[in-house]
Amino acid sequence: MSAIHVTTTINNDATEFLCAPDETLLDVLRDRLGLTGSKEGCGSGDCGACSVMLDGRLVCACLVLGAEAEGRTVATIEGMAVGETLHPLQRKFLEHAALQCGICTPGFLIAAKALLERHPDPTEEEARYWLAGNLCRCTGYDKIIRAVLDAAAEMREAG
Amino acid sequence: MPRVKLWGSLAASIDGQSEVEVRARTLRELLDTLKQEYPALRPQLDRGVSVAIDGVIYNDDWFTPIRDDSEVVLLARLKGG
Amino acid sequence: MALDNKTDAGKRQFKIVGTRPLRPDGVDKVTGRARFGADMSAPGMLVGAVLRSPHPHAQIRSIDTTRARALPGVHAVVTRADFPTVDDAAIADILDNCMAGDKALYDGHAVAAVAAASGAVARHALELIAVDYAPLPFVTDVDAAMKPDAPALHPSRADETVPPGLSANVMARHQFGHGDIEAGLAAADRVLERSYRTEATHQGYIEPHACLASVGPDGKADLWCCTQGQYMVRNTCAAILGMEQGSLRVTPSEIGGGFGGKTTVFLEPVALLLSKKAGRPVKMVMSRDEVFRASGPTASTSIDVRIGMTKDGRITAGFAELRYQGGAYPGSPVDMGSMSAFAPYDLEHVKTIGWDVVTNRPKQAAYRAPGAPMAAFAVESAIDELARGFGLDPLEVRLKNAAREGTRASYGPTFPAIGLEATLRAAKDHPHWSAPLGPNQGRGVACGFWFNFGGDTCVSLNITPDGTVTVSEGNPDIGGSRASMSMMAAEELGIPYEKVRTIIADTGSLGQNDVTDGSRVTFAVGLATIEAARAAKREMCKRAAQVWGIDADAVIWEDGAVRPVSPNAGKHPPMTLAEIAAIASNTGGPIAGHCEVNAEGAGVSFGTHIADTEVDPETGAVKILRYTVLQDAGKAVHPDYVEGQFQGGAVQGIGWALNEEYIYGDDGRLQNAGFLDYRIPVASDLPMIDTVILEIPNPGHPYGVRGVGETPIVPPLAAVANAVSHATGVRLTHLPISPPRLLAAIRAK
């Protein structure tokens, strides 16, 4: 089984890597590229801790092969803040104490960002259903939902 | 002399006595004396107990003082998550 | 020099404690920079993997690793034969759970492990290991395991409390209580007898167990892992492997949830042994399937209750017999369940009997208030049924029987100041309790209790030359505790919160610290942090007095500075912490405070929960419409994280009540080892979780703090079940209340 050479763009950086044909994008990110912000909670697409954007679409990186990144663009949690400036969602997660242990947080942030890109003004119910693919065991989701809705409001105001 | 309340399993091992008097000024003296005077308690005491002194729970501190009028209750060893 | 003492907890005016600053580790956690267990790596690192038994119970006749060892890229293979013999029974059980000996005792039990150049090679190597199993009869149900003819896991390990003639699977008998049950029941207008069952649940932390071990040829070892207690990992691994504790340094990573499930070891001793054999660092990470099959879970239970009540709602006697299976080894939390079952009530006659039973399931691990939620489900369901049967308000009945200061607790001692009554009164006054309900909707209430612990704790607080402060503590931060420690240090020193940075130390940097469990951290580490800050203040007072040439007794610490205690001591402008820090070298050297203590005096905690549910009569699905948690926190140091504990605990309990269960097949194997089939609550299942923090100060803590983390998981099982009963008129005595189970009960009505 020979390795596959992949050319892709990750967080706006042109990136090349070699991976095995059966290696997931999550393993490539974490083990080959040192991007350990995406987490593996289940390896079966059930927990959302590895959520990343692939060509602008929200995916579980554990369900995508590394080789599938060829010629595409990948956005991970490591690219969410710009320099010293946190994304409003990141800031609101801090302000609302929307994390306890923090293991699910990168996945929630990526998924919530995808939500707000499509629906800048989601209802609480819409936010809850959109984020139903992301598991959090610490918070009971209350503060996460509040943070997402508050970030949405702030982002709408900022236009 | 402090009176020591024993939980049911401990009481059962000394013929159902649910309260005994023990001459002790500290937790360590209490546990040592209990082991000496009631050898049947020893296996449970060796596995570990918690002790409530006047309603406050202690685990290991040998020199915790016990007054003559203290309420002392032996408890199963507490474990948390 | 005046320092406040422990008695002012109720009156003290706080400047920082009780506010809601941002947590110091927050930015790392929202940017992906925080390093969790599986995020660690080391040069030359190998990957470890574990071979697990497919049988629920089997004799291991032999293990042939020849072909695995010969596979290119494999650097080490270990089986139980490679581990030393351990004498201590508790440690021996932990070892046996990490790596099976003569027998595999459950589906998923580890039997061998390899370390290889890559994960792919390691997995291939596992396929080349030949294990000769002789399958044995098995038992996974607690009641079946107690039958005298049940398949026995261990020959005669019962302790002296177990009467003769019972199944060899019965390990211990516990009994608590006081009074005369039969006399109490005779005084009742009605005696309710019910049997209840709860299924095993998993702690369900999103981060699987992970570690990285590196053992040098000199025997010195380093271990990085996600754990609730780096000192526990060090001591347990050292005992299993025959190492000295000082030669093993354990550094905790950030921890992606634990809830009790990370208070023991699974991979760590195996990784250390593989690393030792291979001469290379070894990283091991569990898959989710392994997490479910071989770590956690909690006990499944079978509980009989008899409660007597007068028609005006007074409980005349309470009796419960509790049977908990704790998996393949002794130590289910049935003792804690038996102690806590009736703890919220002031009962003249109360008795509980608990049976600790082993079955062919994974060894149970602590789960948030271990043993208490199941017992509370049984007792709170029975009280609710009695109250509603008499047409009484279930909240009033609880108030009528509530334990108060001076009540002799069902488990023995007399309660000091406690907050149960306050939570019940707050529940009664809460708009939730009187809000109207629609069709197919019901409301339930339940109370819960947990002990809370203290224990061994070390804190080192250092004043830097520029007057900022660093705090080192030894308990992993599972939900904002670094923020709480920084707040308490800043409060005590009278400096801004931002001037304090708290870090979690490795085992080489502080003395022994007990595990992050028992809701102990904010209480015990907080206490030690305050004491360490006070020690530093005493030193700074001394330094300032020296500079001023006056007696140390003539100065006082106030608002972050040393001042003369009165004009008589001379006219000196206040000397701030930063000014004293700047001249520390000239006045005797660096300034620090530290505290090493076995923190006793934890205060018990009570909560009351209200749940509204709506039941779909066509499908049996239950929706949580509204949920309110009311709990005594003693003093909420950082209210956001207290609310977070309330909300998170409640939702775990809701999952336990409605969805979560370990399902075993006729083959004795776990059928739902993944998040798809073991369904924890998701965002769309839930409403906002309302919280009310009550503050009845704990007299055993300088700021009045009580632990808050565990109590919130105790009431929800019964609160939800009582709400479902209220909505449907049928009472479910078997959790979880899954749609098929509820639908069958509704149709049988």
Side-chain angles (χ1 to χ4, degrees), chain C residues 466-625:
Chain C
D466 72 357
T468 49
V469 172
T470 62
V471 175
S472 302
E473 54 130 322
N475 280 90
D477 180 351
I478 57 174
S481 61
R482 272 174 290 215
S484 303
M485 298 317 140
S486 294
M487 290 170 77
M488 286 187 262
E491 180 80 47
E492 197 59 38
L493 293 169
I495 59 174
Y497 166 77
E498 293 72 24
K499 297 284 184 196
V500 184
R501 183 167 186 194
T502 299
I503 61 127
I504 314 298
D506 63 67
T507 57
S509 303
L510 290 172
Q512 173 72 20
N513 283 273
D514 282 347
V515 173
T516 295
D517 74 354
S519 305
R520 74 175 217 93
V521 171
T522 311
F523 167 75
V525 183
L527 188 146
T529 300
I530 292 165
E531 290 301 327
R534 289 178 178 178
K537 288 200 297 192
R538 282 193 292 274
E539 183 62 24
M540 287 186 281
C541 283
K542 204 177 93 190
R543 302 286 178 97
Q546 238 176 338
V547 170
W548 291 332
I550 62 177
D551 209 55
D553 290 338
V555 303
I556 187 172
W557 185 276
E558 209 175 272
D559 286 338
V562 181
R563 297 156 206 272
V565 74
S566 74
N568 300 343
K571 273 198 141 183
H572 304 286
M575 199 183 294
T576 64
L577 183 147
E579 288 166 347
I580 299 168
I583 55 167
S585 281
N586 313 102
T587 58
I591 298 169
H594 58 101
C595 175
E596 293 77 27
V597 66
N598 181 354
E600 309 272 26
V604 299
S605 120
F606 289 92
T608 297
H609 291 200
I610 312 170
D612 287 2
T613 60
E614 180 172 299
V615 175
D616 181 340
E618 302 295 316
T619 63
V622 177
K623 184 162 181 55
I624 304 289
L625 297 173

Side-chain angles (χ1 to χ4, degrees), chain C residues 87-99:
Chain C
D87 292 329
D88 180 89
I91 296 291
D93 282 348
I94 295 171
L95 165 59
D96 200 68
N97 191 44
C98 292
M99 190 60 70

Side-chain angles (χ1 to χ4, degrees), chain A residues 45-102:
Chain A
D46 296 315
C47 79
C50 64
S51 297
V52 299
M53 299 299 280
L54 185 64
D55 278 351
R57 184 172 153 228
L58 179 64
V59 296
C60 289
C62 72
L63 297 182
V64 175
L65 292 172
E68 291 181 81
E70 173 67 35
R72 302 169 81 176
T73 61
V74 179
T76 73
I77 186 66
E78 286 88 350
M80 196 160 170
V82 182
E84 282 196 318
T85 309
L86 295 179
H87 186 279
L89 276 163
Q90 292 173 309
R91 204 157 28 74
K92 290 299 176 188
F93 265 58
L94 293 178
E95 288 171 15
H96 284 268
L99 53 140
Q100 282 178 33
C101 81

Side-chain angles (χ1 to χ4, degrees), chain C residues 242-567:
Chain C
M243 302 169 72
E244 288 180 339
Q245 292 174 357
S247 66
L248 172 59
R249 185 175 67 153
V250 181
T251 306
S253 67
E254 295 300 329
I255 175 174
F259 317 111
K262 291 175 182 167
T263 58
T264 184
V265 296
F266 298 102
L267 298 172
E268 293 83 354
V270 179
L272 284 164
L273 195 57
L274 284 169
S275 173
K276 185 178 175 201
K277 272 191 118 175
R280 301 258 294 267
V282 174
K283 177 170 168 175
M284 299 183 83
V285 182
M286 276 196 196
S287 68
R288 179 53 56 180
D289 178 85
E290 289 178 292
V291 171
F292 275 112
R293 286 164 71 202
S295 77
T298 186
S300 67
T301 74
S302 164
I303 302 172
D304 302 328
V305 172
R306 271 193 297 159
I307 296 180
M309 191 181 280
T310 59
K311 55 182 184 295
D312 64 349
R314 180 69 203 164
I315 301 171
T316 59
F319 172 80
E321 185 160 358
L322 308 96
R323 298 169 291 273
Y324 286 25
Q325 69 75 25
Y329 304 88
S332 84
V334 71
D335 45 353
M336 299 292 104
S338 305
M339 290 168 79
S340 61
F342 288 100
Y345 300 108
D346 178 8
L347 302 180
E348 195 179 341
H349 309 290
V350 58
K351 182 176 178 181
T352 53
I353 295 172
W355 299 95
D356 178 22
V357 183
V358 295
T359 65
N360 294 109
R361 295 190 185 213
K363 178 176 167 61
Q364 68 85 33
Y367 182 19
R368 209 165 190 163
M374 313 81 137
F377 164 62
V379 168
E380 293 290 310
S381 292
I383 290 175
D384 200 74
E385 188 173 348
L386 280 164
R388 295 219 183 255
F390 285 125
L392 300 172
D393 178 339
L395 193 47
E396 290 291 351
V397 167
R398 284 173 173 83
L399 258 174
K400 187 172 212 136
N401 295 282
R404 295 171 169 84
E405 183 168 1
T407 294
R408 182 170 178 201
S410 56
Y411 59 91
T414 304
F415 281 126
I418 54 173
L420 174 63
E421 194 178 354
T423 68
L424 283 163
R425 294 206 183 281
K428 199 177 148 189
D429 295 340
H430 196 283
H432 184 172
W433 186 244
S434 47
L437 288 166
N440 298 316
Q441 297 180 354
R443 178 166 297 143
V445 63
C447 297
F449 158 86
W450 186 246
F451 298 94
N452 299 332
F453 312 159
D456 282 343
T457 309
C458 301
V459 168
S460 178
L461 181 149
N462 288 281
I463 313 283
T464 64
D466 72 357
T468 49
V469 172
T470 62
V471 175
S472 302
E473 54 130 322
N475 280 90
D477 180 351
I478 57 174
S481 61
R482 272 174 290 215
S484 303
M485 298 317 140
S486 294
M487 290 170 77
M488 286 187 262
E491 180 80 47
E492 197 59 38
L493 293 169
I495 59 174
Y497 166 77
E498 293 72 24
K499 297 284 184 196
V500 184
R501 183 167 186 194
T502 299
I503 61 127
I504 314 298
D506 63 67
T507 57
S509 303
L510 290 172
Q512 173 72 20
N513 283 273
D514 282 347
V515 173
T516 295
D517 74 354
S519 305
R520 74 175 217 93
V521 171
T522 311
F523 167 75
V525 183
L527 188 146
T529 300
I530 292 165
E531 290 301 327
R534 289 178 178 178
K537 288 200 297 192
R538 282 193 292 274
E539 183 62 24
M540 287 186 281
C541 283
K542 204 177 93 190
R543 302 286 178 97
Q546 238 176 338
V547 170
W548 291 332
I550 62 177
D551 209 55
D553 290 338
V555 303
I556 187 172
W557 185 276
E558 209 175 272
D559 286 338
V562 181
R563 297 156 206 272
V565 74
S566 74

